[in-house]
Amino acid sequence: AHLEDTALLGELSLEGRLRHTDGVLPMVGLARDRGLHAVAVPEANASEASLVSGLDVFGAATLAQLVEHLRGGDPITPWTEPPASLLRGTEGHSADLVDIRGQEHAKRALEVAAAGGHNMLMVGPPGSGKTLLARALPSIMPPLSPEEALETTKVYSVAGMLPSDTPLVASRPFRAPHHTVSPVGMRGTLQDHKWQPGECSLAHGGVLVLDDVPEFRRRVLEIVRVIVDEGVAILVSGANRLEVPARFTLIATAMCCPCGFFGGPRAGECTCSQAAVDRYTARIPAWLTERCRVLEPDEYGLSAEQKRLLG
């Protein structure tokens, strides 16, 4: 073996074993771009590393096994696993649009969003199915292309979120952060040349749901707005700057008042004052209605009063 053409990647334990290492996939890609022809990684990362074409991948369980291979005594067979075979193993979805009854206008809007990559804002009373509809969107989106799957897998590799038995993200990601998520949790971090993806990057190639969007902090929503416009999450630490891919379909949901019953079929149960209703609807960012396909209230089973409040 020629070490000048080989990259050695992995974590070494005190017992001399090579441990699974996060972020191997982008490191292997960088090694190929730098002109190297081979890479040695922990055996647990070999399948993941083999997704990068154009170089030989050697998976070793221990340092002694790798040294023996480099000396030419007991060679390690290069790992080969075509990405196409992994793409066929797509995971199921938590919800399927075919199982949802009614809501024909909302389902039609989801089909339009899936076909054109459009963002969407759903407004309706509690229990009307907004969250379930959002969870069903990935089930009708086209499969990830090999290039998209590889790019998304790089993000999950760095985040340490790749399942041990599935080295490739073959299904479109679905992320639904809680409204208490921090700006850092949404955008990601970059410290000491190490970056941690945020929710927007983890949704890359898939769906990001902001359930009950008026409850999210204004600063968090502004971060989402910038990322939706740019398609990347820009992380800065001192003089270091990193652009992480973050292209996704945004689905936001909201009610028409804090309790959700204002102006609807159960309007008599609403306990919100007019001032509370106005404050709640004002917290729906204007940029959402500009960048989203908004379901008309009469389509969604809401009243004319709710339509007036939503503009």
Side-chain angles (χ1 to χ4, degrees), residues 84-210:
S85 66
L86 297 174
L87 280 171
R88 287 195 292 270
T90 304
E91 301 174 1
H93 304 283
S94 60
D96 197 317
L97 196 65
V98 73
D99 296 326
I100 300 177
R101 299 188 176 217
Q103 301 285 16
E104 297 305 323
H105 288 88
K107 290 194 288 188
R108 173 57 181 164
L110 284 175
E111 291 170 354
V112 173
H118 305 297
N119 302 314
M120 188 166 138
L121 171 62
M122 291 188 284
V123 181
S128 57
K130 302 184 296 297
T131 302
L132 179 61
L133 285 163
R135 289 188 175 278
L137 179 57
S139 69
I140 60 172
M141 295 177 73
L144 286 171
S145 68
E147 294 76 16
E148 288 177 320
L150 189 59
E151 191 173 39
T152 303
T153 300
K154 289 180 180 179
V155 175
Y156 277 75
S157 175
V158 172
M161 297 175 61
L162 283 180
S164 58
D165 58 341
T166 309
L168 184 70
V169 176
S171 298
R172 291 195 177 273
F174 178 90
R175 304 296 298 181
H178 192 260
H179 63 79
T180 57
V181 65
S182 67
V184 169
M186 187 65 78
R187 182 179 51 224
T189 60
L190 175 64
Q191 292 182 341
D192 300 327
H193 302 283
K194 294 176 62 178
W195 64 277
Q196 181 67 26
E199 291 291 342
C200 288
S201 293
L202 292 172
H204 176 65
V207 178
L208 177 69
V209 174
L210 301 183

Side-chain angles (χ1 to χ4, degrees), residues 1 33 102 109 138 166 193 197 222 237:
D33 296 341
T166 309
H193 302 283
E222 185 62 19
S237 177

